[in-house]
Amino acid sequence: MRGMTNTLTIGERVAWYRRRRGMSQEVLAGLVDRTEDWLSKVENNRIQLDRLSVIKSLADVLDVALADLVAEPSLVSWTSDSGMRTVPALRAALMDYRKVTPFGADSSVEPPPIDVLQQELKTLWDAYQDARFGYVTGRLPSLIAHAEAAVSAMSGDALNDARRVLGLAYQLAAVQLTKIGEADLSWIAADRGLGAARAAGDVVLTGTLLRSVAHALQATGRYREAVQLTNDAANYLEPHLSNATPELLSVYGTLFLAGSIAAARANDAITTRTFLSAADEAATRLGHDANHLWTAFGPTNVAIHRVATAAELGDIQVAVDLGPRVDTSGMPMERRVRHSLEVARALSAWNRADEALDTVLAAEKMAPEQVRYHVLSRQLVLSWVRHQRTKPSTVLVDLARRLDVMD
C-alpha cells in the first residue's frame, strides 16, 4: 500500500486499513473516542483529516505507521537538477557499512580541501532553502562521502572543521529526507550528524543536530518524545546562553519552534504556548530576522509557527486571521512556501476553498518541487477534487495531475 499510489485521500486509506484489520467503523471510532458517524464521514471524504494528532491516533489503533496514512514517502522526480540518482543513492551513502564497522572510510574517495567542502555545503543548504529538493538530494551523497573522507584523513583543527562540515551535511540530509517523507532515513542522518557534532565538541552544532533529531521523531509520529527532547536540548544549551552568539541564539530559538509543532501535534496547548514564548524571547534578544546556520530564525519565523501551531491545535480562526498578515517576503523560499501551505489549509478548513486553491497555485509558482512533495498540498488538492459536486475545474484538475494525485 505504502508508496503505491498518491490518489487516495487519508480517509480512504483509513478505510482500506480498517477493512484489512477486520474492524467495523463502530469499533475503530470507539477506540479513538469518536462517533461512528464521524468516521463514516472521514472515510467518505465529507470530513477532511488534516490534523496530525488525529491521524496519528488512527494509525496507532490500526497498527500502521503514520506514513502509511499520509502517503509518504514521495517519489523524487528526475529533472535536470536532480539527475537520475536520487533517494536510493542517498540511502546508500547513509547505509555504507564502513560507517558502522571497523574497516575505515572508502579509500577510493579523495577528500577535497576544507574550503571546497565548506563551499559545497553552503551551495546545497542555499539550494534547500530555495526549495530545490531534487538538486539537493542528487548532490548530497557526494558531499557526505567527501566529508567522511576528510574526517578520516585530517587531524587537529582541520579535523574539527571537517567534522563540522560532516555534521551539517548530515543535518541537511535529515531535513531534506523529512521533506520527502523518508522518516527512517532522516533518523539515521540525524544520528550520524549528532555523532560528528559531539566529536567536534561544538555546542552550537550539537544543538542544531538535536533539533534535527526532534524533526525525525515528529516524522514518525513520536510527538511527546520530541517535546521531551526539546526540553532536554534546551537544558543542554542554557548554560551557554549568558554570552550567546547570534548562532547559538538562533539554534536555541529554532529548537523551541520545532518543539512547539511537536507539542501542538500532541494536543498540548500549554506546552505549545510555553515553547513559542521561549522562541519569541530568543528572537527578541536576537533583534531581527537572520539565517545563522540556515535557521531562518527571527520574529517572522516565530509568527509563522504561531499560525502552524494554531492550525495543528484546531484553532482555525486564529490561523485564518493571523496567517495572511505575516509578511514572509524576507524569508527563504522554503519558509515562505511552507507558510503559504498552512494558510491554504486554514482557508480550506474555513470553507474558503477558492482562496485556498489560489494560495496553493501561488506557492507552486514560487517553488513547484516543494508543493509537489509536501503531504499537505497533495492532500488538500486531492480533497478538493473529491469534494466537488460538479466536474472539477480545469485549473484544479491540472494542479492535481502536476502533484500526481489524480490519474
Side-chain angles (χ1 to χ4, degrees):
M1 181 69 173
R2 183 180 179 187
M4 292 176 61
T5 176
N6 288 328
T7 60
L8 297 181
T9 65
I10 295 174
E12 290 163 350
R13 290 172 184 275
V14 169
W16 193 89
Y17 281 111
R18 176 182 60 76
R19 290 191 290 266
R20 287 293 301 271
R21 293 299 187 197
M23 300 172 71
S24 68
Q25 287 184 332
E26 180 183 11
V27 169
L28 177 57
L31 290 172
V32 295
D33 294 324
R34 300 281 182 153
T35 66
E36 184 178 354
D37 179 64
W38 174 86
L39 183 60
S40 176
K41 289 177 179 176
V42 164
E43 293 185 349
N44 288 285
N45 299 312
R46 286 179 287 162
I47 291 178
Q48 183 178 329
L49 273 181
D50 60 359
R51 292 182 60 197
L52 281 173
S53 59
V54 179
I55 300 169
K56 179 61 167 58
S57 66
L58 287 163
D60 287 344
V61 171
L62 291 167
D63 191 28
V64 299
L66 179 64
D68 291 319
L69 293 187
V70 297
E72 292 185 313
S74 300
L75 180 68
V76 176
S77 300
W78 288 340
T79 67
S80 57
D81 246 3
S82 70
M84 296 176 66
R85 287 175 56 79
T86 56
V87 174
L90 186 50
R91 178 182 291 109
L94 292 172
M95 300 184 73
D96 184 347
Y97 74 88
R98 283 172 285 255
K99 305 209 176 40
V100 293
T101 63
F103 305 125
D106 186 350
S107 59
S108 67
V109 178
E110 190 71 26
I114 284 294
D115 62 336
V116 173
L117 279 176
Q118 290 169 334
Q119 182 55 51
E120 176 68 358
L121 178 72
K122 180 181 185 306
T123 297
L124 292 191
W125 265 106
D126 289 347
Y128 168 79
Q129 291 195 320
D130 285 338
R132 295 172 61 196
F133 294 163
Y135 178 83
V136 173
T137 304
R139 292 185 63 168
L140 262 173
S142 175
L143 175 60
I144 289 172
H146 284 125
E148 288 278 9
V151 167
S152 296
M154 295 179 181
S155 60
D157 291 342
L159 172 58
N160 280 335
D161 288 341
R163 284 170 171 159
R164 291 185 185 96
V165 171
L166 182 61
L168 287 168
Y170 275 127
Q171 184 192 18
L172 178 55
V175 297
Q176 173 66 83
L177 288 162
T178 299
K179 288 291 183 187
I180 57 178
E182 294 283 357
D184 294 340
L185 289 179
S186 175
W187 177 265
I188 294 172
D191 176 67
R192 295 271 169 75
L194 188 56
R198 295 174 69 182
D202 190 318
V203 171
V204 175
L205 186 59
T206 299
T208 199
L209 263 299
L210 287 170
R211 175 168 55 92
S212 290
V213 175
H215 282 303
L217 286 169
Q218 290 191 59
T220 55
R222 296 156 70 187
Y223 305 130
R224 296 193 183 282
E225 290 176 74
V227 169
Q228 183 58 53
L229 174 59
T230 300
N231 284 316
D232 292 341
N235 289 336
Y236 167 77
L237 293 176
E238 278 167 5
H240 306 277
L241 289 177
S242 57
N243 296 304
T245 63
E247 289 80 8
L248 177 55
L249 275 177
S250 298
V251 167
Y252 181 74
T254 311
L255 176 70
F256 281 113
L257 294 183
S260 71
I261 296 292
R265 290 173 177 172
N267 269 326
D268 186 345
I270 293 175
T271 301
T272 299
R273 288 193 292 270
T274 299
F275 284 173
L276 285 173
S277 294
D280 192 44
E281 289 176 12
T284 299
R285 186 172 169 185
L286 185 64
H288 58 278
D289 290 330
N291 197 25
H292 300 292
L293 285 180
W294 299 280
T295 55
F297 182 69
T300 301
N301 211 351
V302 175
I304 286 171
H305 280 75
R306 289 194 189 281
V307 175
T309 53
E312 289 290 351
L313 289 167
D315 297 331
I316 303 302
Q317 184 170 356
V318 172
V320 168
D321 290 345
L322 177 60
R325 298 205 308 267
V326 179
D327 180 6
T328 63
S329 58
M331 301 296 285
M333 186 60 68
E334 182 275 331
R335 287 285 81 205
R336 294 177 63 188
V337 171
R338 182 67 182 86
H339 178 66
S340 292
L341 296 182
E342 285 294 351
V343 172
R345 169 166 68 157
L347 290 170
S348 181
W350 213 242
N351 294 318
R352 292 160 63 178
D354 289 343
E355 293 175 66
L357 174 58
D358 288 342
T359 302
V360 173
L361 288 169
E364 188 194 25
K365 286 183 179 179
M366 292 190 292
E369 284 187 82
Q370 185 171 356
V371 173
R372 175 183 172 85
Y373 296 133
H374 203 285
V375 62
L376 185 52
S377 49
R378 295 200 311 269
Q379 286 296 324
L380 278 173
V381 171
L382 184 54
S383 70
W384 295 335
V385 171
R386 292 286 200 273
H387 288 160
Q388 294 285 321
R389 291 193 177 94
T390 58
K391 184 178 179 180
S393 68
T394 301
V395 170
L396 179 57
V397 169
D398 288 346
L399 176 59
R401 286 176 174 154
R402 291 195 299 275
L403 270 55
D404 194 28
V405 296
M406 186 174 182
D407 294 330

